[in-house]
Amino acid sequence: MSTTLSSPPNLLAKSTGNVAGRKLKNIVMLTLCIIAAGLAILVLGLVLYFLLSKGFSSLHIRLFTQLPDNIDTSKGGMAQSIFGTLVLLGVSSAIGLPFGILGGIYQIEARGRFASLVRFFTDVLNGIPSIVIGIFAYAAVVFPLAQRTHGQGFSAYAGGFALGILMIPTVMRTTEEILRLVPFPLREASLGLGATRWRTMWSVVLPAARGGIITGVMLALARIAGETAPLLFTIFGNQLFATHKVAGVSVPTLTAPIDALPLRIYNYSQDVDPNHNAQAWAGAVVLITLILVLSIAARFATRGNMQEEK
Amino acid sequence: MADVTTQKPTSLQDLARAQTSAPTATKILAENVDFYYSAFHALKTINIVIPDRQVTALIGPSGCGKSTFLRTLNRMNDLIDGTRLTGKITLDGEDLYDKRVDVVDLRKRVGMVFQKPNPFPMSIYDNIAYGPRIHGLTNRKKLNEIVERTLRGSALWEEVKDKLKASAFALSGGQQQRLCIARTLAVEPEVILMDEPCSALDPNSTFRIEQLMEDLKKDYTIVIVTHNMQQAARVSQRTGFFLRGEMKEFGDTDQIFTSPKQKDTEDYVSGKFG
């Protein structure tokens, strides 16, 4: 049979010359990519392993339910830090989200020179070290507040202000990018029916982009939840719950010093007390779990959106 | 001064009036329309009379300006930066590009159906109710009426009456396009612009949309841009042939397809280029 065919391409023959070289290059580059990706995962794995092996043994329900015990340090918890971190996330969202989301909408809708200026400065803001934002918050909020009230300027307001600023670039950028992905014909359809631009944004574009925006917000929250540097200048820390009573109900006090997980971890890790060192590890596990939960929630928000699109 | 005011009625208005007294009234009149995308001169001295309650087809090769012209009629081109229009377009004698004209009101009167079906990511019901709602209608009963009437009007009612709450994305492409037509009808426009409404559809769906146009022209003025010359011949009463930003010929559809006056028109409708 084989003799009847003039020159059949032999698929099983060894490739020669140039082809062999190209195949080799392909294999080498692919291997390098796999190694790089593997190393990235390995580093994350090592961090998690290290953290869990050190922190898991100190993880105790006490951590979530009790305040620090200054007499027997092996017994206390850090409930006020977890509480403080949640309050700070709330305050920074209240400050950062309106600016971030509305700013993102503006950049899509306006498209002028001012919009690109805003985009440029947002990128610059994204590059500013968080400790500088902390100093700024100290000068802009802590110091004036202390002078006005003749007392403490360290507060949830100040911390939330610093973290809120850190949120703005991330939220603005993701909002803008997600809104850009919403198909233009959808806008046209709405405008063509006589809807105003705002109505189109509110009723058609934003709902279509909802999942993506939520993802952006979650990732921004995950990022600021772990920020420590700005907190050093703004919240001071607190061994107690920063609350006061309004009509018999305990509400967070935003004008008083407040605690936060990253700050507590930082302080305890510097401590001479081995019990505190151990709690710092456990606190780190709690913090990373919180961030993980936010990141996973972000994933779910996007997935829901994808299904809706189909 | 008196002289000026007596001279004021322009040839345009005279033309409009003359057309109104004719058997088919003029709905839209374009006079000496030039249109620019920044430096690109997209439309050159377009003059056209679009009759009321008829189907007017705009044909021509890609990039000839027919879609651009269609979009000047409800000012959709306003959305694009750097566009400029000179000349005059009137709807029932009113200048569309007058500074006092609110595009929101204009687009309510001149609706549009796009090339690709573009339903909103909402239910079938909400897609249709969207238009009336943005114009302030909240009465549930009236909305129900509109949804049923427009779905019947777009020949979709029988297919979707049991799943009005289902996502519009669950419909086929042809059904989605009929939904988009129903959505346009729901704001009760006077004119419906259709920008290649069947180019993304299969022959069967195309046939249904063409039938629909036949029905709709009893109540609406329709302007359709199409690449499909057979479609233009089937559905329209008047046809305009565009080439390189100019309107080469405009006339009764029969005349354009059987005895075109221009060489270019003849070459195009006989398939020599396009």
Side-chain angles (χ1 to χ4, degrees), chain A residues 111 185-186 188-196 199-200 203-204 308 310, chain B residues 71 76 79 81 104 107 114 118-122 130 134-135 169 183:
Chain A
R111 291 179 309 198
L186 222 50
E188 278 187 324
S190 174
L191 293 167
L193 289 168
T196 58
R199 184 67 198 239
T200 300
S203 300
V204 174
E308 219 171 275
K310 278 173 196 167
Chain B
R71 284 159 170 265
M76 278 315 252
L79 302 175
D81 291 334
V104 168
R107 290 176 189 151
F114 298 85
N118 54 358
F120 299 130
M122 311 171 181
Y130 180 82
I134 61 174
H135 295 294
F169 291 128
R183 184 175 67 185

PDB file of all heavy atoms in Angstrom, chain A residues 111 185-186 188-196 199-200 203-204 308 310, chain B residues 71 76 79 81 104 107 114 118-122 130 134-135 169 183:
ATOM      1  N   ARG A 111     -16.094  61.106  29.781  1.00  0.00           N
ATOM      2  CA  ARG A 111     -15.119  60.847  28.720  1.00  0.00           C
ATOM      3  C   ARG A 111     -14.298  62.060  28.281  1.00  0.00           C
ATOM      4  O   ARG A 111     -13.605  62.010  27.300  1.00  0.00           O
ATOM      5  CB  ARG A 111     -15.810  60.280  27.477  1.00  0.00           C
ATOM      6  CG  ARG A 111     -16.344  58.895  27.669  1.00  0.00           C
ATOM      7  CD  ARG A 111     -17.030  58.441  26.413  1.00  0.00           C
ATOM      8  NE  ARG A 111     -17.992  59.418  25.944  1.00  0.00           N
ATOM      9  CZ  ARG A 111     -18.964  59.173  25.094  1.00  0.00           C
ATOM     10  NH1 ARG A 111     -19.092  57.994  24.598  1.00  0.00           N
ATOM     11  NH2 ARG A 111     -19.804  60.110  24.738  1.00  0.00           N
ATOM     12  N   PRO A 185     -25.006  48.610  22.788  1.00  0.00           N
ATOM     13  CA  PRO A 185     -26.386  48.528  22.296  1.00  0.00           C
ATOM     14  C   PRO A 185     -27.438  48.573  23.407  1.00  0.00           C
ATOM     15  O   PRO A 185     -28.553  49.033  23.192  1.00  0.00           O
ATOM     16  CB  PRO A 185     -26.413  47.172  21.572  1.00  0.00           C
ATOM     17  CG  PRO A 185     -25.030  46.972  21.126  1.00  0.00           C
ATOM     18  CD  PRO A 185     -24.153  47.557  22.201  1.00  0.00           C
ATOM     19  N   LEU A 186     -27.063  48.097  24.595  1.00  0.00           N
ATOM     20  CA  LEU A 186     -28.001  48.125  25.713  1.00  0.00           C
ATOM     21  C   LEU A 186     -28.313  49.571  26.108  1.00  0.00           C
ATOM     22  O   LEU A 186     -29.452  49.938  26.367  1.00  0.00           O
ATOM     23  CB  LEU A 186     -27.361  47.389  26.899  1.00  0.00           C
ATOM     24  CG  LEU A 186     -28.236  46.465  27.714  1.00  0.00           C
ATOM     25  CD1 LEU A 186     -28.993  45.499  26.852  1.00  0.00           C
ATOM     26  CD2 LEU A 186     -27.378  45.724  28.724  1.00  0.00           C
ATOM     27  N   GLU A 188     -27.932  52.131  24.070  1.00  0.00           N
ATOM     28  CA  GLU A 188     -28.646  52.707  22.927  1.00  0.00           C
ATOM     29  C   GLU A 188     -30.133  52.392  23.014  1.00  0.00           C
ATOM     30  O   GLU A 188     -30.963  53.247  22.754  1.00  0.00           O
ATOM     31  CB  GLU A 188     -28.102  52.129  21.631  1.00  0.00           C
ATOM     32  CG  GLU A 188     -26.850  52.776  21.141  1.00  0.00           C
ATOM     33  CD  GLU A 188     -26.470  52.270  19.771  1.00  0.00           C
ATOM     34  OE1 GLU A 188     -26.676  51.065  19.496  1.00  0.00           O
ATOM     35  OE2 GLU A 188     -25.987  53.054  18.963  1.00  0.00           O
ATOM     36  N   ALA A 189     -30.432  51.129  23.384  1.00  0.00           N
ATOM     37  CA  ALA A 189     -31.834  50.716  23.459  1.00  0.00           C
ATOM     38  C   ALA A 189     -32.579  51.598  24.437  1.00  0.00           C
ATOM     39  O   ALA A 189     -33.680  52.068  24.155  1.00  0.00           O
ATOM     40  CB  ALA A 189     -31.921  49.251  23.886  1.00  0.00           C
ATOM     41  N   SER A 190     -31.963  51.831  25.584  1.00  0.00           N
ATOM     42  CA  SER A 190     -32.625  52.629  26.609  1.00  0.00           C
ATOM     43  C   SER A 190     -32.740  54.090  26.184  1.00  0.00           C
ATOM     44  O   SER A 190     -33.810  54.699  26.279  1.00  0.00           O
ATOM     45  CB  SER A 190     -31.847  52.517  27.919  1.00  0.00           C
ATOM     46  OG  SER A 190     -32.401  53.382  28.873  1.00  0.00           O
ATOM     47  N   LEU A 191     -31.651  54.651  25.667  1.00  0.00           N
ATOM     48  CA  LEU A 191     -31.673  56.051  25.223  1.00  0.00           C
ATOM     49  C   LEU A 191     -32.657  56.219  24.070  1.00  0.00           C
ATOM     50  O   LEU A 191     -33.354  57.219  23.973  1.00  0.00           O
ATOM     51  CB  LEU A 191     -30.276  56.484  24.800  1.00  0.00           C
ATOM     52  CG  LEU A 191     -29.249  56.547  25.932  1.00  0.00           C
ATOM     53  CD1 LEU A 191     -27.837  56.674  25.374  1.00  0.00           C
ATOM     54  CD2 LEU A 191     -29.549  57.694  26.866  1.00  0.00           C
ATOM     55  N   GLY A 192     -32.725  55.183  23.205  1.00  0.00           N
ATOM     56  CA  GLY A 192     -33.619  55.226  22.057  1.00  0.00           C
ATOM     57  C   GLY A 192     -35.088  55.242  22.449  1.00  0.00           C
ATOM     58  O   GLY A 192     -35.944  55.648  21.674  1.00  0.00           O
ATOM     59  N   LEU A 193     -35.375  54.777  23.667  1.00  0.00           N
ATOM     60  CA  LEU A 193     -36.765  54.807  24.146  1.00  0.00           C
ATOM     61  C   LEU A 193     -37.081  56.144  24.812  1.00  0.00           C
ATOM     62  O   LEU A 193     -38.181  56.355  25.298  1.00  0.00           O
ATOM     63  CB  LEU A 193     -36.998  53.680  25.154  1.00  0.00           C
ATOM     64  CG  LEU A 193     -37.034  52.266  24.567  1.00  0.00           C
ATOM     65  CD1 LEU A 193     -36.974  51.242  25.672  1.00  0.00           C
ATOM     66  CD2 LEU A 193     -38.284  52.080  23.730  1.00  0.00           C
ATOM     67  N   GLY A 194     -36.083  57.012  24.849  1.00  0.00           N
ATOM     68  CA  GLY A 194     -36.311  58.324  25.442  1.00  0.00           C
ATOM     69  C   GLY A 194     -35.922  58.396  26.907  1.00  0.00           C
ATOM     70  O   GLY A 194     -36.384  59.268  27.629  1.00  0.00           O
ATOM     71  N   ALA A 195     -35.063  57.469  27.352  1.00  0.00           N
ATOM     72  CA  ALA A 195     -34.597  57.544  28.737  1.00  0.00           C
ATOM     73  C   ALA A 195     -33.457  58.548  28.834  1.00  0.00           C
ATOM     74  O   ALA A 195     -32.705  58.735  27.888  1.00  0.00           O
ATOM     75  CB  ALA A 195     -34.113  56.172  29.199  1.00  0.00           C
ATOM     76  N   THR A 196     -33.348  59.204  29.984  1.00  0.00           N
ATOM     77  CA  THR A 196     -32.219  60.109  30.190  1.00  0.00           C
ATOM     78  C   THR A 196     -30.970  59.270  30.453  1.00  0.00           C
ATOM     79  O   THR A 196     -31.055  58.068  30.686  1.00  0.00           O
ATOM     80  CB  THR A 196     -32.452  61.011  31.411  1.00  0.00           C
ATOM     81  OG1 THR A 196     -32.644  60.174  32.557  1.00  0.00           O
ATOM     82  CG2 THR A 196     -33.661  61.888  31.223  1.00  0.00           C
ATOM     83  N   ARG A 199     -31.100  57.810  33.957  1.00  0.00           N
ATOM     84  CA  ARG A 199     -32.064  56.717  34.062  1.00  0.00           C
ATOM     85  C   ARG A 199     -31.496  55.452  33.405  1.00  0.00           C
ATOM     86  O   ARG A 199     -31.635  54.348  33.914  1.00  0.00           O
ATOM     87  CB  ARG A 199     -33.376  57.138  33.366  1.00  0.00           C
ATOM     88  CG  ARG A 199     -34.489  56.117  33.486  1.00  0.00           C
ATOM     89  CD  ARG A 199     -34.950  56.006  34.924  1.00  0.00           C
ATOM     90  NE  ARG A 199     -35.686  54.772  35.144  1.00  0.00           N
ATOM     91  CZ  ARG A 199     -36.947  54.742  35.584  1.00  0.00           C
ATOM     92  NH1 ARG A 199     -37.567  55.850  35.873  1.00  0.00           N
ATOM     93  NH2 ARG A 199     -37.549  53.596  35.775  1.00  0.00           N
ATOM     94  N   THR A 200     -30.835  55.640  32.283  1.00  0.00           N
ATOM     95  CA  THR A 200     -30.209  54.515  31.584  1.00  0.00           C
ATOM     96  C   THR A 200     -29.145  53.871  32.467  1.00  0.00           C
ATOM     97  O   THR A 200     -29.080  52.653  32.605  1.00  0.00           O
ATOM     98  CB  THR A 200     -29.568  55.008  30.270  1.00  0.00           C
ATOM     99  OG1 THR A 200     -30.587  55.575  29.465  1.00  0.00           O
ATOM    100  CG2 THR A 200     -28.905  53.877  29.527  1.00  0.00           C
ATOM    101  N   SER A 203     -31.092  52.208  35.624  1.00  0.00           N
ATOM    102  CA  SER A 203     -32.026  51.094  35.410  1.00  0.00           C
ATOM    103  C   SER A 203     -31.488  49.994  34.509  1.00  0.00           C
ATOM    104  O   SER A 203     -31.979  48.882  34.540  1.00  0.00           O
ATOM    105  CB  SER A 203     -33.338  51.608  34.789  1.00  0.00           C
ATOM    106  OG  SER A 203     -33.935  52.542  35.645  1.00  0.00           O
ATOM    107  N   VAL A 204     -30.504  50.307  33.679  1.00  0.00           N
ATOM    108  CA  VAL A 204     -30.038  49.301  32.723  1.00  0.00           C
ATOM    109  C   VAL A 204     -28.559  48.956  32.925  1.00  0.00           C
ATOM    110  O   VAL A 204     -28.205  47.799  33.092  1.00  0.00           O
ATOM    111  CB  VAL A 204     -30.268  49.782  31.266  1.00  0.00           C
ATOM    112  CG1 VAL A 204     -29.661  48.806  30.294  1.00  0.00           C
ATOM    113  CG2 VAL A 204     -31.756  49.942  31.004  1.00  0.00           C
ATOM    114  N   GLU A 308     -26.421  35.266  34.809  1.00  0.00           N
ATOM    115  CA  GLU A 308     -27.483  36.168  34.406  1.00  0.00           C
ATOM    116  C   GLU A 308     -27.317  36.586  32.944  1.00  0.00           C
ATOM    117  O   GLU A 308     -28.277  36.722  32.215  1.00  0.00           O
ATOM    118  CB  GLU A 308     -27.434  37.408  35.296  1.00  0.00           C
ATOM    119  CG  GLU A 308     -28.797  37.943  35.693  1.00  0.00           C
ATOM    120  CD  GLU A 308     -28.633  39.018  36.737  1.00  0.00           C
ATOM    121  OE1 GLU A 308     -28.547  38.676  37.925  1.00  0.00           O
ATOM    122  OE2 GLU A 308     -28.550  40.183  36.349  1.00  0.00           O
ATOM    123  N   LYS A 310     -26.135  34.908  30.497  1.00  0.00           N
ATOM    124  CA  LYS A 310     -26.553  33.869  29.576  1.00  0.00           C
ATOM    125  C   LYS A 310     -28.063  33.800  29.544  1.00  0.00           C
ATOM    126  O   LYS A 310     -28.711  34.003  28.628  1.00  0.00           O
ATOM    127  CB  LYS A 310     -26.027  32.511  30.021  1.00  0.00           C
ATOM    128  CG  LYS A 310     -24.579  32.301  29.585  1.00  0.00           C
ATOM    129  CD  LYS A 310     -24.055  31.018  30.206  1.00  0.00           C
ATOM    130  CE  LYS A 310     -22.530  30.951  30.146  1.00  0.00           C
ATOM    131  NZ  LYS A 310     -22.027  29.893  31.010  1.00  0.00           N
TER     132      LYS A 310
ATOM    133  N   ARG B  71     -29.752  57.515  11.911  1.00  0.00           N
ATOM    134  CA  ARG B  71     -29.513  57.942  13.285  1.00  0.00           C
ATOM    135  C   ARG B  71     -29.582  59.456  13.476  1.00  0.00           C
ATOM    136  O   ARG B  71     -29.646  59.915  14.617  1.00  0.00           O
ATOM    137  CB  ARG B  71     -28.163  57.409  13.753  1.00  0.00           C
ATOM    138  CG  ARG B  71     -28.233  55.949  14.076  1.00  0.00           C
ATOM    139  CD  ARG B  71     -26.891  55.288  14.049  1.00  0.00           C
ATOM    140  NE  ARG B  71     -27.019  53.953  14.595  1.00  0.00           N
ATOM    141  CZ  ARG B  71     -26.783  53.659  15.873  1.00  0.00           C
ATOM    142  NH1 ARG B  71     -26.361  54.583  16.706  1.00  0.00           N
ATOM    143  NH2 ARG B  71     -26.962  52.447  16.313  1.00  0.00           N
ATOM    144  N   MET B  76     -29.547  59.951  17.533  1.00  0.00           N
ATOM    145  CA  MET B  76     -28.700  58.984  18.223  1.00  0.00           C
ATOM    146  C   MET B  76     -27.226  59.318  18.014  1.00  0.00           C
ATOM    147  O   MET B  76     -26.378  58.932  18.803  1.00  0.00           O
ATOM    148  CB  MET B  76     -28.970  57.560  17.708  1.00  0.00           C
ATOM    149  CG  MET B  76     -30.171  56.871  18.327  1.00  0.00           C
ATOM    150  SD  MET B  76     -30.318  57.023  20.098  1.00  0.00           S
ATOM    151  CE  MET B  76     -29.913  55.372  20.612  1.00  0.00           C
ATOM    152  N   LEU B  79     -24.768  60.900  20.637  1.00  0.00           N
ATOM    153  CA  LEU B  79     -24.015  60.150  21.639  1.00  0.00           C
ATOM    154  C   LEU B  79     -22.546  60.034  21.274  1.00  0.00           C
ATOM    155  O   LEU B  79     -21.719  59.694  22.107  1.00  0.00           O
ATOM    156  CB  LEU B  79     -24.594  58.735  21.788  1.00  0.00           C
ATOM    157  CG  LEU B  79     -26.056  58.637  22.183  1.00  0.00           C
ATOM    158  CD1 LEU B  79     -26.510  57.195  22.168  1.00  0.00           C
ATOM    159  CD2 LEU B  79     -26.251  59.231  23.557  1.00  0.00           C
ATOM    160  N   ASP B  81     -18.984  61.505  20.216  1.00  0.00           N
ATOM    161  CA  ASP B  81     -18.237  62.761  20.345  1.00  0.00           C
ATOM    162  C   ASP B  81     -17.782  63.254  18.971  1.00  0.00           C
ATOM    163  O   ASP B  81     -17.450  62.457  18.094  1.00  0.00           O
ATOM    164  CB  ASP B  81     -17.002  62.552  21.231  1.00  0.00           C
ATOM    165  CG  ASP B  81     -17.402  62.304  22.673  1.00  0.00           C
ATOM    166  OD1 ASP B  81     -18.495  62.762  23.054  1.00  0.00           O
ATOM    167  OD2 ASP B  81     -16.628  61.660  23.391  1.00  0.00           O
ATOM    168  N   VAL B 104     -34.973  63.622  24.698  1.00  0.00           N
ATOM    169  CA  VAL B 104     -35.803  62.636  25.386  1.00  0.00           C
ATOM    170  C   VAL B 104     -37.206  62.601  24.766  1.00  0.00           C
ATOM    171  O   VAL B 104     -37.746  61.533  24.463  1.00  0.00           O
ATOM    172  CB  VAL B 104     -35.860  62.948  26.897  1.00  0.00           C
ATOM    173  CG1 VAL B 104     -36.939  62.140  27.575  1.00  0.00           C
ATOM    174  CG2 VAL B 104     -34.500  62.673  27.534  1.00  0.00           C
ATOM    175  N   ARG B 107     -36.984  61.230  21.078  1.00  0.00           N
ATOM    176  CA  ARG B 107     -36.813  59.779  20.950  1.00  0.00           C
ATOM    177  C   ARG B 107     -38.059  59.026  21.389  1.00  0.00           C
ATOM    178  O   ARG B 107     -38.232  57.853  21.057  1.00  0.00           O
ATOM    179  CB  ARG B 107     -35.589  59.323  21.746  1.00  0.00           C
ATOM    180  CG  ARG B 107     -34.308  59.788  21.100  1.00  0.00           C
ATOM    181  CD  ARG B 107     -33.115  59.427  21.915  1.00  0.00           C
ATOM    182  NE  ARG B 107     -31.921  60.076  21.368  1.00  0.00           N
ATOM    183  CZ  ARG B 107     -30.873  60.422  22.099  1.00  0.00           C
ATOM    184  NH1 ARG B 107     -30.883  60.196  23.395  1.00  0.00           N
ATOM    185  NH2 ARG B 107     -29.836  61.001  21.548  1.00  0.00           N
ATOM    186  N   PHE B 114     -32.797  48.113  16.641  1.00  0.00           N
ATOM    187  CA  PHE B 114     -31.398  48.051  16.252  1.00  0.00           C
ATOM    188  C   PHE B 114     -31.070  46.774  15.477  1.00  0.00           C
ATOM    189  O   PHE B 114     -31.870  45.842  15.410  1.00  0.00           O
ATOM    190  CB  PHE B 114     -30.508  48.163  17.489  1.00  0.00           C
ATOM    191  CG  PHE B 114     -30.688  49.485  18.191  1.00  0.00           C
ATOM    192  CD1 PHE B 114     -31.710  49.661  19.120  1.00  0.00           C
ATOM    193  CD2 PHE B 114     -29.852  50.555  17.917  1.00  0.00           C
ATOM    194  CE1 PHE B 114     -31.896  50.880  19.751  1.00  0.00           C
ATOM    195  CE2 PHE B 114     -30.031  51.767  18.543  1.00  0.00           C
ATOM    196  CZ  PHE B 114     -31.052  51.933  19.460  1.00  0.00           C
ATOM    197  N   ASN B 118     -31.422  43.700  21.181  1.00  0.00           N
ATOM    198  CA  ASN B 118     -30.743  44.107  22.407  1.00  0.00           C
ATOM    199  C   ASN B 118     -31.708  44.245  23.579  1.00  0.00           C
ATOM    200  O   ASN B 118     -31.875  45.316  24.120  1.00  0.00           O
ATOM    201  CB  ASN B 118     -29.978  45.417  22.190  1.00  0.00           C
ATOM    202  CG  ASN B 118     -30.868  46.522  21.626  1.00  0.00           C
ATOM    203  OD1 ASN B 118     -32.047  46.291  21.368  1.00  0.00           O
ATOM    204  ND2 ASN B 118     -30.322  47.701  21.456  1.00  0.00           N
ATOM    205  N   PRO B 119     -32.356  43.126  23.956  1.00  0.00           N
ATOM    206  CA  PRO B 119     -33.251  43.215  25.108  1.00  0.00           C
ATOM    207  C   PRO B 119     -32.456  43.544  26.370  1.00  0.00           C
ATOM    208  O   PRO B 119     -31.264  43.240  26.454  1.00  0.00           O
ATOM    209  CB  PRO B 119     -33.846  41.805  25.198  1.00  0.00           C
ATOM    210  CG  PRO B 119     -32.877  40.924  24.514  1.00  0.00           C
ATOM    211  CD  PRO B 119     -32.233  41.753  23.455  1.00  0.00           C
ATOM    212  N   PHE B 120     -33.113  44.171  27.325  1.00  0.00           N
ATOM    213  CA  PHE B 120     -32.465  44.444  28.603  1.00  0.00           C
ATOM    214  C   PHE B 120     -32.369  43.145  29.391  1.00  0.00           C
ATOM    215  O   PHE B 120     -33.189  42.240  29.210  1.00  0.00           O
ATOM    216  CB  PHE B 120     -33.287  45.448  29.423  1.00  0.00           C
ATOM    217  CG  PHE B 120     -33.457  46.777  28.749  1.00  0.00           C
ATOM    218  CD1 PHE B 120     -34.720  47.352  28.628  1.00  0.00           C
ATOM    219  CD2 PHE B 120     -32.368  47.458  28.235  1.00  0.00           C
ATOM    220  CE1 PHE B 120     -34.885  48.582  28.014  1.00  0.00           C
ATOM    221  CE2 PHE B 120     -32.532  48.681  27.610  1.00  0.00           C
ATOM    222  CZ  PHE B 120     -33.788  49.249  27.506  1.00  0.00           C
ATOM    223  N   PRO B 121     -31.383  43.065  30.298  1.00  0.00           N
ATOM    224  CA  PRO B 121     -31.293  41.861  31.148  1.00  0.00           C
ATOM    225  C   PRO B 121     -32.394  41.856  32.207  1.00  0.00           C
ATOM    226  O   PRO B 121     -32.125  41.976  33.393  1.00  0.00           O
ATOM    227  CB  PRO B 121     -29.889  41.962  31.757  1.00  0.00           C
ATOM    228  CG  PRO B 121     -29.501  43.391  31.643  1.00  0.00           C
ATOM    229  CD  PRO B 121     -30.276  43.979  30.515  1.00  0.00           C
ATOM    230  N   MET B 122     -33.631  41.772  31.761  1.00  0.00           N
ATOM    231  CA  MET B 122     -34.790  41.771  32.663  1.00  0.00           C
ATOM    232  C   MET B 122     -35.796  40.760  32.109  1.00  0.00           C
ATOM    233  O   MET B 122     -35.553  40.131  31.087  1.00  0.00           O
ATOM    234  CB  MET B 122     -35.501  43.129  32.655  1.00  0.00           C
ATOM    235  CG  MET B 122     -34.641  44.345  32.823  1.00  0.00           C
ATOM    236  SD  MET B 122     -35.628  45.817  32.509  1.00  0.00           S
ATOM    237  CE  MET B 122     -34.375  47.068  32.739  1.00  0.00           C
ATOM    238  N   TYR B 130     -40.519  48.951  30.571  1.00  0.00           N
ATOM    239  CA  TYR B 130     -39.443  49.918  30.827  1.00  0.00           C
ATOM    240  C   TYR B 130     -39.757  51.297  30.234  1.00  0.00           C
ATOM    241  O   TYR B 130     -39.676  52.322  30.918  1.00  0.00           O
ATOM    242  CB  TYR B 130     -38.128  49.387  30.262  1.00  0.00           C
ATOM    243  CG  TYR B 130     -36.947  50.295  30.471  1.00  0.00           C
ATOM    244  CD1 TYR B 130     -36.264  50.310  31.676  1.00  0.00           C
ATOM    245  CD2 TYR B 130     -36.511  51.164  29.461  1.00  0.00           C
ATOM    246  CE1 TYR B 130     -35.179  51.147  31.878  1.00  0.00           C
ATOM    247  CE2 TYR B 130     -35.426  52.007  29.658  1.00  0.00           C
ATOM    248  CZ  TYR B 130     -34.774  51.987  30.866  1.00  0.00           C
ATOM    249  OH  TYR B 130     -33.707  52.828  31.063  1.00  0.00           O
ATOM    250  N   ILE B 134     -40.334  54.730  32.339  1.00  0.00           N
ATOM    251  CA  ILE B 134     -39.436  55.889  32.384  1.00  0.00           C
ATOM    252  C   ILE B 134     -40.181  57.165  32.028  1.00  0.00           C
ATOM    253  O   ILE B 134     -39.748  58.248  32.390  1.00  0.00           O
ATOM    254  CB  ILE B 134     -38.199  55.736  31.458  1.00  0.00           C
ATOM    255  CG1 ILE B 134     -38.602  55.577  29.999  1.00  0.00           C
ATOM    256  CG2 ILE B 134     -37.312  54.589  31.899  1.00  0.00           C
ATOM    257  CD1 ILE B 134     -37.429  55.579  29.054  1.00  0.00           C
ATOM    258  N   HIS B 135     -41.309  57.012  31.349  1.00  0.00           N
ATOM    259  CA  HIS B 135     -42.087  58.204  31.051  1.00  0.00           C
ATOM    260  C   HIS B 135     -43.184  58.430  32.086  1.00  0.00           C
ATOM    261  O   HIS B 135     -44.122  59.185  31.867  1.00  0.00           O
ATOM    262  CB  HIS B 135     -42.652  58.129  29.629  1.00  0.00           C
ATOM    263  CG  HIS B 135     -41.577  58.150  28.586  1.00  0.00           C
ATOM    264  ND1 HIS B 135     -40.780  59.249  28.377  1.00  0.00           N
ATOM    265  CD2 HIS B 135     -41.116  57.198  27.738  1.00  0.00           C
ATOM    266  CE1 HIS B 135     -39.893  58.976  27.424  1.00  0.00           C
ATOM    267  NE2 HIS B 135     -40.073  57.728  27.031  1.00  0.00           N
ATOM    268  N   PHE B 169     -33.637  36.904  27.763  1.00  0.00           N
ATOM    269  CA  PHE B 169     -32.546  36.174  27.114  1.00  0.00           C
ATOM    270  C   PHE B 169     -32.931  34.736  26.779  1.00  0.00           C
ATOM    271  O   PHE B 169     -32.233  34.058  26.035  1.00  0.00           O
ATOM    272  CB  PHE B 169     -31.299  36.172  27.991  1.00  0.00           C
ATOM    273  CG  PHE B 169     -30.666  37.528  28.099  1.00  0.00           C
ATOM    274  CD1 PHE B 169     -30.379  38.082  29.325  1.00  0.00           C
ATOM    275  CD2 PHE B 169     -30.359  38.241  26.954  1.00  0.00           C
ATOM    276  CE1 PHE B 169     -29.799  39.339  29.419  1.00  0.00           C
ATOM    277  CE2 PHE B 169     -29.782  39.493  27.037  1.00  0.00           C
ATOM    278  CZ  PHE B 169     -29.500  40.044  28.272  1.00  0.00           C
ATOM    279  N   ARG B 183     -41.168  46.598  22.505  1.00  0.00           N
ATOM    280  CA  ARG B 183     -40.652  47.560  23.480  1.00  0.00           C
ATOM    281  C   ARG B 183     -40.689  48.977  22.898  1.00  0.00           C
ATOM    282  O   ARG B 183     -41.000  49.941  23.590  1.00  0.00           O
ATOM    283  CB  ARG B 183     -39.212  47.166  23.827  1.00  0.00           C
ATOM    284  CG  ARG B 183     -38.572  47.985  24.885  1.00  0.00           C
ATOM    285  CD  ARG B 183     -37.204  47.439  25.223  1.00  0.00           C
ATOM    286  NE  ARG B 183     -36.271  47.588  24.096  1.00  0.00           N
ATOM    287  CZ  ARG B 183     -35.044  47.102  24.096  1.00  0.00           C
ATOM    288  NH1 ARG B 183     -34.599  46.412  25.125  1.00  0.00           N
ATOM    289  NH2 ARG B 183     -34.254  47.282  23.059  1.00  0.00           N
TER     290      ARG B 183
END
